[in-house]
Amino acid sequence: MFWFLLVTMVVVVAAVTLAVVGGGKSAILQDVAPEQLIDPLPATRPVGRADLDALRLPVAVRGYRMMDVDEALDRLGAELAERDARIAELESALAGAQATAVGGPGLIEEPPEDRPQAPWEAPGPDPEPTEHPGEEPRR
């Protein structure tokens, strides 16, 4: 019985080895083309939230393909740097506009005397009293 099991095991191992290594003209396992990045980040417009949600990086033997990950991270880093520069530019422009509005001309100056007084404005100082004939001057 022992010899029967030993011979059977040798025959099975030899058959499997021949089938896997060189058993025929066609290979058992087909060569698969490497996975490629199907929907890369858009090159013609800024990257948005929907683009990041739709981004699916291809998987390789040891995780993700490093070239595709590096490319996506470089693009996102450039986008963030560009947005940070734009935000800094807009903040400095806003600070300049606010400084001009606070200390600019026309806000502290007195209104001209010859302009008519609007009904909502406080009345100005009383004019000098004029003397009428027969009255004592006010003091």
Side-chain angles (χ1 to χ4, degrees), residues 4 6 10 14 23 37 48 57 61 67 77 85 98 111 118-119 126 139:
F4 176 73
L6 184 64
V10 168
L37 188 61
L57 297 170
V61 176
M67 182 177 66
Q98 286 176 342
D126 288 336
R139 291 192 190 210

Side-chain angles (χ1 to χ4, degrees), residues 2 54 61 71 101:
F2 173 73
V61 176
E71 184 179 306

Side-chain angles (χ1 to χ4, degrees), residues 35-41 52 55-78:
E35 227 179 299
Q36 297 294 322
L37 188 61
I38 295 171
D39 190 18
L41 296 174
L52 290 179
L55 181 65
R56 296 292 175 250
L57 297 170
V59 179
V61 176
R62 298 181 319 186
Y64 292 103
R65 295 185 62 208
M66 292 196 312
M67 182 177 66
D68 292 332
V69 173
D70 289 344
E71 184 179 306
L73 289 177
D74 288 343
R75 174 68 191 278
L76 291 175

Side-chain angles (χ1 to χ4, degrees), residues 5-133:
L5 288 175
L6 184 64
V7 171
T8 307
M9 190 181 301
V10 168
V11 170
V12 169
V13 169
V16 170
T17 304
L18 284 175
V20 170
V21 173
K25 295 183 180 183
S26 66
I28 302 291
L29 298 175
Q30 300 289 329
D31 287 335
V32 179
E35 227 179 299
Q36 297 294 322
L37 188 61
I38 295 171
D39 190 18
L41 296 174
T44 59
R45 61 180 171 78
V47 176
R49 173 68 187 222
D51 297 324
L52 290 179
D53 290 341
L55 181 65
R56 296 292 175 250
L57 297 170
V59 179
V61 176
R62 298 181 319 186
Y64 292 103
R65 295 185 62 208
M66 292 196 312
M67 182 177 66
D68 292 332
V69 173
D70 289 344
E71 184 179 306
L73 289 177
D74 288 343
R75 174 68 191 278
L76 291 175
E79 289 277 337
L80 287 174
E82 182 178 323
R83 287 181 185 175
D84 287 345
R86 180 72 176 146
I87 287 170
E89 176 187 330
L90 292 174
E91 284 177 345
S92 66
L94 178 64
Q98 286 176 342
T100 303
V102 169
L107 293 178
I108 302 176
E109 296 175 3
E110 293 293 325
E113 295 296 326
D114 60 340
R115 135 181 115 76
Q117 185 175 3
W120 59 83
E121 293 180 333
D126 288 336
E128 291 291 324
T130 57
E131 292 184 25
H132 295 287

